[in-house]
Amino acid sequence: MGSWTDNIKDIEPYVPGEQSAEKGIIKLNANENPYPPSPMVKKALRELDFDSLRLYPDANAAKLKDAIAAFYGVERENVFVGNGSDDVLALAFQAFFNGEKPVLFPDITYSFYPVWCRLFGIPFKTVPVGGDFRICADDYAKENGGVVIPNPNAPTSLGEGAEFVESILRKNQGGVVIIDEAYVDFGGFSSAGLTQKYENLLVTATFSKSRSLAGMRLGYAIGSKKLTGALEAVKNSYNSYTVNSAAMAAGAAAMRDTAYFNETVQKIIATRLKTKAALEELGFEVLDSQTNFLMATHPEKNMREYFEFLKAQKIFIRYFDKPVINKFVRITVGTDDEMNALLLKTREFLEIK
């Protein structure tokens, strides 16, 4: 007779950036937005009917979907929402990847993809990125059970344009193609408009990065009604109330405040460009970024040691102890003051006076 422990799922989970309650830390390891949410979000939460919290939230998330639909110029039925883009992606993996052929995604990318595949029993194959960390569309022109492309990619920070995305779509008309756009607002090409041309395209996005709402756990997808309908069916098969009332109110307000959104995004882009140039002056090699982070290495320095040095100085960045990218660190773009502090300590590490 076997043990009850034999029936416990054994799986290697996704590991997020280190969290710390210690005061005085400059946190540049989780790609969070350094600026607060829109003032309209604060107003929406203050005006939230406290008594309404005794009731279940709107299972259809109509007001939030309407705000997202208006921003993208699509219909409410083309929008799906969930608890962060991770929730949306997990539901999408369950809804669309149910064949025997392997799902394809890059070998250097968001490390949650293989976790979901193993959790849900989905066959998959990783496709190597090039020596320049670029994703090659031709590599996805082979038999598969679906394709997932993060654009821009993480942790590389590199993004591709419309021609690349359409090439992927033309080569993969027999399965669902997911374009993960968690970082697209920081200078990338959005494929959302292509969902009206390609019925098998699903574009996922998040409020955690450019909308400063990581603490609310909100994500969404844009796609054909057939795809969003399938997502709704899967969601309603285990929890029809995935997004809470406060999060929906906050998300709708953030989506409507395009002026604040544009202002903070442009600040981050400007700081990213200045920091990239400053690091390169110090001898670092920094990949071109279309995200709110930088992927950097130094030809004469060990990046693990750099990571540990900064951590001792209460500056948290991200180091991945994995082949190829273990020569790099990922640095979230913070405020100008935070990045100046990073650069000051970096000069100390390099022993530059």
Side-chain angles (χ1 to χ4, degrees):
M1 182 180 294
S3 168
W4 59 270
T5 59
D6 295 339
N7 294 323
I8 297 176
K9 186 175 286 291
D10 183 16
I11 190 168
E12 184 178 344
Y14 168 76
V15 180
E18 183 176 354
Q19 304 292 318
S20 176
E22 187 178 353
K23 293 182 179 180
I25 286 176
I26 296 177
K27 192 168 181 287
L28 304 174
N29 68 338
N31 297 342
E32 294 152 324
N33 198 309
Y35 301 106
S38 158
M40 287 180 62
V41 171
K42 181 182 288 189
K43 183 174 184 290
L45 292 177
R46 282 178 172 172
E47 294 177 354
L48 186 68
D49 181 6
F50 179 76
D51 184 62
S52 70
L53 296 182
R54 66 184 177 82
L55 305 173
Y56 284 115
D58 174 14
N60 294 317
K63 292 181 180 178
L64 176 56
K65 287 181 180 178
D66 285 345
I68 296 169
F71 182 82
Y72 286 97
V74 297
E75 297 179 31
R76 180 195 297 176
E77 290 75 18
N78 297 121
V79 180
F80 176 82
V81 299
N83 289 321
S85 59
D86 286 343
D87 182 41
V88 175
L89 283 162
L91 289 167
F93 273 53
Q94 293 176 79
F96 308 130
F97 301 149
N98 295 293
E100 297 179 356
K101 299 174 185 177
V103 173
L104 304 180
F105 46 81
D107 62 339
I108 297 177
T109 191
Y110 188 31
S111 55
F112 229 141
Y113 300 156
V115 173
W116 286 319
C117 285
R118 294 185 182 107
L119 179 63
F120 302 136
I122 299 169
F124 71 95
K125 285 185 180 179
T126 58
V127 181
V129 297
D132 57 358
F133 293 110
R134 291 284 181 184
I135 300 170
C136 178
D138 289 339
D139 292 342
Y140 294 82
K142 54 188 174 184
E143 198 170 28
N144 61 72
V147 171
V148 184
I149 301 289
N151 192 38
N153 194 10
T156 68
S157 78
L158 301 172
E160 307 296 342
E163 184 177 344
F164 167 87
V165 175
E166 291 222 57
S167 179
I168 292 283
L169 288 163
R170 287 194 299 269
K171 293 173 170 63
N172 293 279
Q173 299 182 41
V176 174
V177 174
I178 298 176
I179 304 292
D180 181 351
E181 295 191 352
Y183 299 98
V184 76
D185 294 325
F186 300 103
F189 165 75
S190 178
S191 304
L194 294 176
T195 59
Q196 298 181 59
K197 181 178 179 181
Y198 296 93
E199 193 177 24
N200 66 323
L201 169 63
L202 187 81
V203 176
T204 63
T206 179
F207 282 81
S208 298
K209 314 302 181 186
S210 58
R211 304 281 175 177
S212 303
L213 286 175
M216 277 294 181
R217 305 307 302 129
L218 272 177
Y220 57 97
I222 307 293
S224 64
K225 295 177 183 179
K226 190 166 187 177
L227 293 185
T228 58
L231 286 171
E232 295 287 355
V234 173
K235 181 198 77 168
N236 291 335
S237 296
Y238 83 98
N239 180 5
S240 58
Y241 300 100
T242 55
V243 180
N244 67 70
S245 299
M248 285 193 282
M255 189 60 69
R256 287 194 294 265
D257 195 351
T258 55
Y260 184 82
F261 163 76
N262 290 328
E263 177 189 346
T264 52
V265 164
Q266 289 306 312
K267 282 183 181 179
I268 290 168
I269 291 173
T271 302
R272 181 186 73 203
L273 292 171
K274 287 189 291 186
T275 305
K276 182 177 186 292
L279 286 170
E280 289 173 338
E281 285 184 11
L282 294 174
F284 281 82
E285 297 172 3
V286 187
L287 301 185
D288 290 331
S289 174
Q290 293 185 355
T291 64
N292 68 335
F293 61 87
L294 296 167
M295 194 73 165
T297 187
H298 195 291
E300 300 174 3
K301 297 294 180 178
N302 182 290
M303 290 296 96
R304 182 196 287 273
E305 292 177 3
Y306 176 52
F307 161 78
E308 295 290 355
F309 174 84
L310 289 177
K311 184 177 179 180
Q313 309 298 317
K314 293 189 175 184
I315 299 176
F316 283 24
I317 61 174
R318 192 82 191 266
Y319 174 76
F320 298 92
D321 192 10
K322 297 180 179 180
V324 183
I325 57 173
N326 59 8
K327 297 177 181 178
F328 288 79
V329 289
R330 191 191 71 189
I331 305 169
T332 301
V333 177
T335 63
D336 283 337
D337 287 345
E338 289 173 331
M339 304 317 284
N340 287 336
L342 169 87
L343 292 168
L344 179 64
K345 293 301 180 181
T346 299
R347 292 179 70 88
E348 288 185 19
F349 173 76
L350 298 173
E351 298 181 335
I352 297 175
K353 295 182 179 179

